[in-house]
Amino acid sequence: METFQIPATLGLYFHVPFCASKCKYCDFYSFAGPEAQMDAYVDAMCRAIAAWGMRCQGAKVDTVYFGGGTPSLLGAVRLGRILTAARAGFALQDDAEITVECNPDSMTGGLLDALHAMGVNRLSVGVQSASDCELRMLGRRHTFAQAQRAVERAHASGFANLSLDLMYALPGQDAGQALASLQALLALGPVHLSCYALKIESGTPLARENVTQPDEDIQADMYLALCDALRQAGFEHYEISNWAKPGFRARHNARYWDLSDYLGIGPSAHSLLGGKRFAYADDLDAFLAAKPPIPEEEVEGFTPALEYLMLALRTADGVQPAAFAARFGQPFAPFAARLERFRAPGLAAYSAGRWRLTEQGFLLSNPILADVLSAQ
């Protein structure tokens, strides 16, 4: 692998490819695996973490994220081994945000107590819906009652920083049903919500079932209704699909949106270090054999400045023109001229020295961003 400049701080992402079963909409690299395969994976992770720790000496780690797949399926002992290896190999800050993704059916009280004791301080729980019919349609393994009990156990184990996932725009769903699910999730007391429109990926079981989602107008109504309900519940809409109570924004995800440094370890994990992008193959056997990650191909004409602009305009903080010009050495004026055209119809706004998209603008973010980026 090519060399890279060691950053002052970075985030760690650990990809866990194991799931009890595959959801009908999922196209991530994940699968059901036997216990022995999980143990071999953890051994390989610990070796890789130690090797990367040697390469990244001097960098401080302020976020750790276990994603998947279903990391909670590994159990406390395996997750503890990985986290212990991370602490041995890297300089984790005392206030590091440490997140584990969980599915309700694997969130036992013993696991949650152990995670809290080992320093995990944030959970991201894949609830997705409060309707058991919708959960079955999506291929989820849990019922909403199980999700309720899992969240109650998480609170009882001492987790204050709890994020829940919600999907909307499901086949046969209307805005009222989406709002009912949201209100049921809010009743569980989360401090963070990630709300995503279902995207039916080719090759997934849901695509083969040829289901029909609500049309674009209904999806837009759902999104704006969710935005309004979350605002009334005291949540900040800080990224196009993410809401948080004050002080509970996802620090790890912010690294992706700001093009800050992060290191991904595990099959299919991606990294951005010192301006270099690379990724491990979607292949557990290759990871077990210690095959190194490979550089990602650059998209011709898609510069870091354009990538930053695209990601930043998906956040409520938006873009500060002077900071953009200083960071990338190019004027922001051409992009500001494009954004100006979206201000009158209420899709973009300029205030406190920053350009932002409005919630109406978030709805049309793809064509707006394509237009703005074309100013390059």
Side-chain angles (χ1 to χ4, degrees), residues 12 49 80 82-92 98 117-120:
L12 293 177
I49 290 168
I82 296 172
L83 191 52
T84 297
R87 288 198 170 101
F90 291 87
L92 266 66
I98 304 176
M118 70 179 68
V120 175

Side-chain angles (χ1 to χ4, degrees), residues 270-290:
H270 293 249
S271 301
L272 173 61
L273 277 184
K276 306 289 185 182
R277 288 193 178 277
F278 50 90
Y280 284 93
D282 295 355
D283 186 338
L284 177 60
D285 290 336
F287 182 73
L288 297 180

Side-chain angles (χ1 to χ4, degrees), residues 12 59-62 64 83 86-87 90-96 98:
L12 293 177
K60 293 183 178 180
V61 171
D62 59 8
V64 180
L83 191 52
R87 288 198 170 101
F90 291 87
L92 266 66
Q93 294 183 351
D94 291 340
D95 66 343
I98 304 176

Side-chain angles (χ1 to χ4, degrees), residues 43-186:
D43 290 341
M45 283 291 292
C46 291
R47 291 191 296 268
I49 290 168
W52 277 110
M54 293 293 292
R55 293 191 66 179
C56 296
Q57 287 186 20
K60 293 183 178 180
V61 171
D62 59 8
T63 65
V64 180
Y65 195 101
F66 289 82
T70 308
S72 54
L73 193 64
L74 285 182
V77 173
R78 296 187 185 96
L79 289 170
R81 284 189 60 201
I82 296 172
L83 191 52
T84 297
R87 288 198 170 101
F90 291 87
L92 266 66
Q93 294 183 351
D94 291 340
D95 66 343
E97 176 193 84
I98 304 176
T99 304
V100 173
E101 288 185 353
C102 303
N103 276 351
D105 55 299
S106 56
M107 291 171 65
T108 65
L111 169 68
L112 296 171
D113 287 344
L115 291 180
H116 192 266
M118 70 179 68
V120 175
N121 50 32
R122 185 174 185 270
L123 300 179
S124 178
V125 185
V127 179
Q128 312 305 359
S129 172
S131 162
D132 288 347
C133 290
E134 290 176 348
L135 290 170
R136 285 193 296 272
M137 180 270 298
L138 293 170
R140 303 293 292 175
R141 294 174 59 86
H142 65 271
T143 63
F144 184 62
Q146 286 178 299
Q148 289 174 305
R149 290 192 293 270
V151 172
E152 289 169 0
R153 285 193 289 266
H155 285 304
S157 295
F159 286 98
N161 194 347
L162 198 63
S163 177
L164 305 183
D165 288 353
L166 173 70
M167 277 191 172
Y168 67 95
L170 307 182
Q173 189 182 57
D174 60 30
Q177 291 168 319
L179 272 177
S181 274
L182 173 63
Q183 295 297 343
L185 265 64
L186 287 173

Side-chain angles (χ1 to χ4, degrees), residues 236-303:
E236 301 173 333
H237 191 181
Y238 74 99
E239 195 270 344
I240 195 166
S241 299
N242 287 277
W243 289 258
K245 288 288 183 72
F248 288 98
R249 294 185 180 191
R251 288 162 51 193
H252 183 81
N253 289 349
R255 288 192 158 274
Y256 302 148
W257 306 326
D258 189 50
L259 295 190
S260 295
D261 294 276
Y262 57 91
L263 170 64
I265 303 176
S268 88
H270 293 249
S271 301
L272 173 61
L273 277 184
K276 306 289 185 182
R277 288 193 178 277
F278 50 90
Y280 284 93
D282 295 355
D283 186 338
L284 177 60
D285 290 336
F287 182 73
L288 297 180
K291 296 289 179 65
I294 59 174
E296 294 188 38
E297 291 186 15
E298 295 183 1
V299 179
E300 186 177 356
F302 193 56
T303 64

Side-chain angles (χ1 to χ4, degrees), residues 313 315-319 339 347-358 362:
L313 285 174
T315 71
D317 290 337
V319 181
L339 284 164
L347 303 176
Y350 181 75
S351 62
R354 291 179 177 273
W355 278 101
R356 304 171 176 83
L357 297 188
T358 64
F362 282 160

